[in-house]
Amino acid sequence: MKKKLVSCLISFTLLSSLSTPLLAKAQENTGDIKGSLVIAGGGVGTSNHDVYEKFISLAGGKEKAKVGIIPAASTTLQSSKKFKEDLVKYGVNSDSIKILPVSDHDFSDTQKDESTWKNQVNDKKLSRTIKGLTAVWFVGGDQTKIVDSLRQNNGSDSEALKAIWDIYRKGAVIGGTSAGAAIMSDVMITGGDSLGALEESIGNKANKHVKENQRSQKEYEPLSIQKGLGFFQRGIIDQHMDERARLGRLAVAAYTSERDKEKNFAYGVDEDTAMIVNNKDQKIEVVGRSGVAVLDTSKAQLVSKQKARSGLENIKVSYLSPGDKINYHLKSFEFPKDKVETKGFEYYSFNALPATGVFTPYGRLKAYLSYSLIDNESMKSANSYVYDSQGSGYEIAFQKVQDTNGYWRYTDGQKDDYSIINVRMDITPKTVKFQPDRKKTSLTYKKPTFSSSESPAYGSIKGNLLIAGGALGSSNSSVYNKFINLAGGKQAKIGIVPAASTKFDSSNQFKSDLIKYGVKAENIEILPISNHDFKGMPENELNWKTNINSDKLAQKVKGLTGIWFVGGDQTLITGSLRNEDGSDSKVLQAIWHTYKNGAVLGGTSAGAAIMSNTMLAGGDSYGALSYGFTDTYDDMTQQEGGPAYLEKGLGFFQYGLVDQHFDNKARLGRLIATAYEKGNKNQLSYGIDEDTAMVVNNAEKQIEVVGRGGITLVDLAKVQANNKFPSDYKNILISCITPGDKVNLTTKDIVINPAKTSTRKNEYYSEKVGANTGLFSPHGVLRKFLAYDLIDNAQNKEIKSYAFNQNKGFELTFRKSAESNGYWAYTDGQKDDYSIVRVALDIKPIKVAVK
């Protein structure tokens, strides 16, 4: 059974409690602490080498480490046993790892009654055991259970807690994930979400007197706090930061903590990420796969903007990435030398939309600030919203100020890695109202004029496709190995088509990756195919345009077993392989010959977009739904937003439309609009997430998901549309599948990984949720929004999100249909992995008023 991360409400009000003795300093005399902390934000994957190896190293190394695991937060022993297994996998001796008898409750998966363990926390034998350890780890669950297990009824430290403090002072490492991270600070956040923290703690005094029947008290959760264990005394810790959108609640907790806000940062740790605290150096290092939000509330102010409602102004938000360091004593940052500043050297220049829901490109906090603001010369400020079902809430404005900066580098191959410092955040009370709108939307929508002939029938195709959604990590072994195996194994002969990019970096990187995975260097060639020059190269590759009808190059292509198209601009690929009259060049004909006879064709990002016959080359979800389609193409600007732009693709995938960067760029709306206007409604359309691939088996007419994300399936077979008013849809069917799931391309049947169990009539959650409104809404990525808030939630039959800009937009209603189901399993340790089948989506144009 899934382990639920319980948020426990404490029955005292934040503002009054912060000044009480209850939250006094956890340890008045901490002395010179030689030990370190590993504070993980939750969801740490078994494969996260950096976090595990750092913890083991700080514990003395795999030969000397002696680790005690404290299971108290969980309702089962499963997570403690799993962490022990992981440590053994990383080389720690099993006999050197003990699950300590620390709990105030029984575990549901054992025969014993562990509630009796509460009486052992003052046992000398347990204290001696702890004093012989080099490390202690707190598993996730409910943080209050950890504190209640280690403190006595009068609030004093038990002997077991004193022993933990003793080894920590002498050099041991203390680590924990999720709830095990929350207990690290003196001020321990035990419950609440961003909207609840703002409404109940600073924002809406009038709301405290609203009658129960006038407003749902379960739509959001007020902030609650308790005294933590205080191992980290230089700020407040929060966890699951980006996934659960907790920046607002951390800001409120930090601002209202008078002792903390003047001298300390507050820290929000993302999932699968850890902050390593070195007490001797007074520094923090970020390790793992995402980042750590750092808040400075020292100059923040409480400002009244509406009658009886207040907001917060001048909070400084920074976001640190793996490899970055924080000097918490000096409140300063250090970045790796290979990271370059973005200020004055911004790469992007496009008008970013406000973050308003699950149709927002880069819709999670770190990505949104990186692409839409920090590395975007067109943007000085950007905003988002959070509000309840009545429209009462806040506008969150992010602004570049004098000391704002960003730092960028590639990581894990060619994934963007950003660090952000000193973005100003203002939170202002607002009321958002929606009304149906048809007229304005219909006046601006333009139908596509693009006409693509049917993909030619090439007969039986023996080859396969591997279509990657972009941002493919060099460490993504499942995707690389799949491509190599389909190409014939390590003896494969692979050609790389560089045409989409403006530089050779991505082609060289992919070649290096193939060599790392065992392909012989002499069997890999970057093919001279381009219609433009590459930066930093002595040769003018524009001249390669003549190569596309070279018999010699065509013959070489016919001898390959695999061909890979790198990412960039998909129009450059098609422009490089077709003749001026639009006909196929000899090299493109050779690629088809090779594919038909058994070769695998693969590509990422732009190299995925070219796979279908109708190629999506520009636009975003809001732009496609609002403005329809355009006949012009403006490179970067058109790739990042605006109406949809279509061209003829290469047609290797003959079973529907393909789109990419699907989760990060929130492209569901543009895929729906394109599929409705230009697709075959009897076929599915496919949106592929980043670091994920769709493997197409033409012989079996089946696709399979591999990688780290998922694939969204759009089925318009039962759609109802209003022909008088564009983008007014009912009964679009949405499915989301993940690695191990398969789809029959002709019958559209979905085959779920047998390791997953059905959620239907067995939902784990039963909680009313508000609409997904932007960066302060939990589960901002579509698949997770549908999983946690709808499919695995017994209380909700439908959920909503919005996409709007200024005074118009769209209401999105996701509904459980008669065919809806969800499937769940743990993956990579104890991460939730959901598949979602046939959720109904209705899209309605609306007018928007923000006051």
Side-chain angles (χ1 to χ4, degrees):
M1 189 59 185
K2 290 171 284 186
K3 175 179 68 63
K4 185 175 181 181
L5 299 172
V6 180
S7 293
C8 180
L9 286 175
I10 308 302
S11 59
F12 50 81
T13 303
L14 175 69
L15 292 176
S16 62
S17 67
L18 279 169
S19 59
T20 66
L22 178 65
L23 292 178
K25 202 169 184 178
Q27 287 278 331
E28 291 298 331
N29 181 24
T30 58
D32 183 17
I33 298 174
K34 297 178 181 178
S36 301
L37 299 172
V38 175
I39 306 175
V44 177
T46 300
S47 64
N48 196 326
H49 298 84
D50 292 344
V51 172
Y52 276 96
E53 288 174 358
K54 192 72 175 182
F55 178 73
I56 293 168
S57 173
L58 291 170
K62 54 190 176 184
E63 301 294 334
K64 297 181 180 180
K66 296 180 179 179
V67 183
I69 302 171
I70 293 183
S74 183
T75 57
T76 71
L77 277 178
Q78 181 180 1
S79 53
S80 298
K81 292 177 180 177
K82 186 68 180 69
F83 187 70
K84 179 175 180 176
E85 290 174 8
D86 290 344
L87 291 177
V88 172
K89 183 184 297 184
Y90 279 95
V92 180
N93 191 312
S94 178
D95 294 337
S96 298
I97 309 166
K98 294 180 171 57
I99 297 175
L100 301 175
V102 177
S103 176
D104 66 349
H105 59 279
D106 187 26
F107 294 106
S108 62
D109 58 346
T110 67
Q111 297 297 318
K112 296 180 180 179
D113 180 5
E114 288 84 7
S115 63
T116 60
W117 285 358
K118 175 67 175 176
N119 301 323
Q120 297 186 43
V121 292
N122 289 310
D123 185 84
K124 291 182 178 180
K125 182 180 178 181
L126 176 59
S127 294
R128 285 196 299 269
T129 298
I130 292 171
K131 288 182 179 181
L133 300 174
T134 62
V136 172
W137 183 266
F138 295 88
V139 301
D142 180 351
Q143 46 265 49
T144 63
K145 294 182 183 297
I146 299 174
V147 175
D148 291 347
S149 297
L150 284 170
R151 284 217 174 96
Q152 302 184 84
N153 293 336
N154 63 1
S156 62
D157 292 356
S158 65
E159 293 301 315
L161 182 53
K162 290 177 183 177
I164 294 171
W165 267 101
D166 182 64
I167 63 171
Y168 176 42
R169 286 194 183 97
K170 292 177 179 177
V173 58
I174 309 297
T177 184
S178 187
I183 54 97
M184 295 288 182
S185 50
D186 281 344
V187 177
M188 180 177 75
I189 299 174
T190 59
D193 54 38
S194 287
L195 179 57
L198 291 165
E199 286 286 271
E200 298 294 332
S201 296
I202 65 162
N204 194 345
K205 298 174 184 176
N207 265 356
K208 295 178 174 57
H209 307 291
V210 174
K211 293 181 180 179
E212 184 78 23
N213 62 358
Q214 290 178 293
R215 188 192 74 192
S216 169
Q217 295 298 315
K218 295 182 179 180
E219 190 174 323
Y220 56 76
E221 184 183 3
L223 174 66
S224 56
I225 62 170
Q226 186 174 320
K227 181 181 177 182
L229 299 185
F231 299 121
F232 179 67
Q233 299 205 335
R234 296 305 301 263
I236 299 173
I237 301 291
D238 208 348
Q239 15 77 47
H240 298 280
M241 174 56 53
D242 208 23
E243 170 60 24
R244 301 189 188 181
R246 286 173 167 171
L247 188 70
R249 85 168 189 179
L250 179 59
V252 172
Y255 174 78
T256 51
S257 175
E258 295 296 330
R259 183 174 65 82
D260 278 294
K261 75 173 186 178
E262 293 298 331
K263 63 180 181 179
N264 295 323
F265 288 140
Y267 304 86
V269 190
D270 287 350
E271 293 185 358
D272 221 3
T273 307
M275 50 184 275
I276 311 300
V277 181
N278 185 317
N279 286 297
K280 291 185 286 186
D281 293 342
Q282 297 187 319
K283 288 185 179 180
I284 295 167
E285 180 183 4
V286 182
V287 300
R289 290 182 173 145
S290 187
V292 174
V294 183
L295 296 188
D296 185 350
T297 59
S298 61
K299 296 181 181 178
Q301 295 180 339
L302 187 69
V303 180
S304 295
K305 290 288 185 179
Q306 290 185 3
K307 191 174 182 180
R309 303 189 73 216
S310 299
L312 283 173
E313 289 187 344
N314 202 21
I315 299 167
K316 289 289 184 71
V317 178
S318 300
Y319 229 109
L320 282 294
S321 296
D324 299 342
K325 294 183 179 180
I326 306 160
N327 187 318
Y328 58 79
H329 177 64
L330 300 176
K331 296 179 75 173
S332 62
F333 306 110
E334 299 175 14
F335 303 101
K337 291 181 180 179
D338 61 342
K339 276 192 172 175
V340 296
E341 294 186 34
T342 62
K343 191 172 185 177
F345 303 94
E346 291 86 355
Y347 181 78
Y348 294 95
S349 181
F350 65 94
N351 184 25
L353 292 173
T356 58
V358 295
F359 273 15
T360 301
Y362 314 113
R364 298 312 317 147
L365 180 66
K366 182 184 175 186
Y368 184 77
L369 292 181
S370 297
Y371 293 101
S372 298
L373 184 64
I374 289 299
D375 203 16
N376 190 336
E377 66 177 355
S378 297
M379 300 292 290
K380 304 299 180 187
S381 63
N383 63 316
S384 183
Y385 298 88
V386 62
Y387 44 84
D388 63 17
S389 58
Q390 305 303 309
S392 176
Y394 300 85
E395 180 182 72
I396 304 101
F398 298 96
Q399 182 182 352
K400 290 177 181 175
V401 292
Q402 187 174 1
D403 57 349
T404 302
N405 208 341
Y407 299 85
W408 170 90
R409 68 176 175 183
Y410 279 135
T411 185
D412 191 17
Q414 289 199 311
K415 291 183 180 180
D416 289 328
D417 176 32
Y418 283 100
S419 303
I420 300 162
I421 61 169
N422 297 325
V423 171
R424 173 174 170 147
M425 179 174 70
D426 299 328
I427 304 173
T428 306
K430 296 285 184 179
T431 301
V432 185
K433 296 295 183 185
F434 303 115
Q435 291 181 327
D437 173 32
R438 303 188 189 280
K439 185 177 179 181
K440 290 184 179 179
T441 303
S442 65
L443 290 175
T444 58
Y445 186 93
K446 179 182 177 182
K447 283 185 169 290
T449 59
F450 166 79
S451 178
S452 176
S453 58
E454 287 295 317
S455 181
Y458 284 95
S460 175
I461 297 174
K462 297 179 182 178
N464 301 294
L465 298 173
L466 188 145
I467 309 174
L472 178 62
S474 296
S475 64
N476 195 328
S477 58
S478 59
V479 172
Y480 276 94
N481 286 330
K482 190 73 173 181
F483 179 73
I484 293 167
N485 288 337
L486 290 171
K490 295 181 180 180
Q491 302 301 316
K493 295 180 180 179
I494 297 173
I496 300 170
V497 178
S501 184
T502 57
K503 297 186 295 184
F504 249 56
D505 293 9
S506 51
S507 297
N508 287 329
Q509 178 67 55
F510 189 72
K511 180 176 181 178
S512 297
D513 290 341
L514 291 176
I515 294 169
K516 182 179 69 176
Y517 283 100
V519 181
K520 294 179 180 179
E522 60 268 26
N523 286 355
I524 308 167
E525 183 173 350
I526 299 174
L527 302 174
I529 299 171
S530 176
N531 65 354
H532 59 279
D533 189 27
F534 290 95
K535 297 176 183 177
M537 299 294 289
E539 183 179 354
N540 186 352
E541 289 79 15
L542 176 61
N543 297 325
W544 285 358
K545 178 64 177 177
T546 60
N547 292 341
I548 61 173
N549 287 304
S550 162
D551 291 327
K552 182 178 179 181
L553 181 57
Q555 197 61 35
K556 179 180 289 186
V557 167
K558 288 181 180 180
L560 300 173
T561 60
I563 298 171
W564 184 264
F565 298 87
V566 301
D569 182 341
Q570 47 264 51
T571 65
L572 296 178
I573 301 176
T574 54
S576 298
L577 283 170
R578 284 206 172 97
N579 296 312
E580 294 298 327
D581 63 358
S583 62
D584 291 358
S585 67
K586 289 183 178 180
V587 169
L588 182 52
Q589 292 173 23
I591 293 172
W592 267 105
H593 176 274
T594 305
Y595 175 42
K596 278 191 64 178
N597 285 280
V600 59
L601 306 185
T604 183
S605 186
I610 54 99
M611 294 290 180
S612 48
N613 192 47
T614 297
M615 180 175 76
L616 288 85
D620 66 355
S621 289
Y622 179 81
L625 292 171
S626 296
Y627 311 115
F629 297 81
T630 180
D631 297 327
T632 61
Y633 182 65
D634 186 21
D635 193 18
M636 178 189 293
T637 301
Q638 193 64 17
Q639 285 190 42
E640 296 299 330
Y645 174 71
L646 307 178
E647 281 195 9
K648 181 176 173 59
L650 299 184
F652 301 125
F653 179 65
Q654 304 199 335
Y655 299 94
L657 299 174
V658 171
D659 208 347
Q660 18 77 42
H661 294 282
F662 209 70
D663 51 353
N664 202 30
K665 297 194 179 184
R667 286 174 164 169
L668 178 62
R670 88 167 188 179
L671 183 58
I672 289 170
T674 305
Y676 181 78
E677 297 286 1
K678 303 302 298 182
N680 181 341
K681 295 180 179 59
N682 292 317
Q683 294 179 328
L684 297 173
S685 296
Y686 303 84
I688 308 171
D689 289 349
E690 294 185 352
D691 218 5
T692 307
M694 181 170 86
V695 179
V696 181
N697 185 316
N698 284 299
E700 297 183 8
K701 294 182 172 54
Q702 179 177 267
I703 69 162
E704 179 184 2
V705 188
V706 297
R708 291 172 174 155
I711 296 175
T712 300
L713 311 174
V714 176
D715 189 346
L716 298 184
K718 299 180 180 179
V719 69
Q720 301 169 31
N722 188 332
N723 292 328
K724 294 182 180 179
F725 304 107
S727 302
D728 188 343
Y729 300 110
K730 291 183 179 178
N731 212 37
I732 302 165
L733 293 180
I734 305 294
S735 301
C736 301
I737 56 176
T738 58
D741 298 338
K742 299 177 180 179
V743 179
N744 186 295
L745 290 164
T746 53
T747 66
K748 301 191 290 190
D749 291 336
I750 300 171
V751 180
I752 300 297
N753 185 337
K756 294 177 182 174
T757 58
S758 172
T759 62
R760 189 167 185 169
K761 296 183 179 179
N762 188 35
E763 292 87 354
Y764 188 76
Y765 299 95
S766 184
E767 302 166 356
K768 185 173 181 179
V769 297
N772 188 292
T773 62
L775 302 180
F776 278 15
S777 293
H779 315 305
V781 176
L782 177 68
R783 175 164 48 92
K784 294 188 177 182
F785 174 56
L786 295 180
Y788 290 103
D789 289 357
L790 182 65
I791 282 296
D792 203 15
N793 195 324
Q795 192 167 148
N796 300 318
K797 294 182 179 179
E798 66 177 40
I799 54 177
K800 294 183 182 294
S801 183
Y802 294 89
F804 62 87
N805 185 26
Q806 296 180 344
N807 64 347
K808 69 177 184 179
F810 302 92
E811 180 183 74
L812 318 175
T813 303
F814 297 91
R815 299 180 284 106
K816 289 176 180 173
S817 71
E819 302 172 278
S820 296
N821 204 345
Y823 299 87
W824 168 91
Y826 277 137
T827 186
D828 192 18
Q830 289 197 310
K831 293 182 180 179
D832 289 330
D833 179 27
Y834 283 99
S835 299
I836 298 154
V837 174
R838 298 187 181 93
V839 166
L841 167 63
D842 302 333
I843 301 177
K844 180 174 71 176
I846 54 173
K847 293 189 294 184
V848 184
V850 180
K851 298 181 179 179

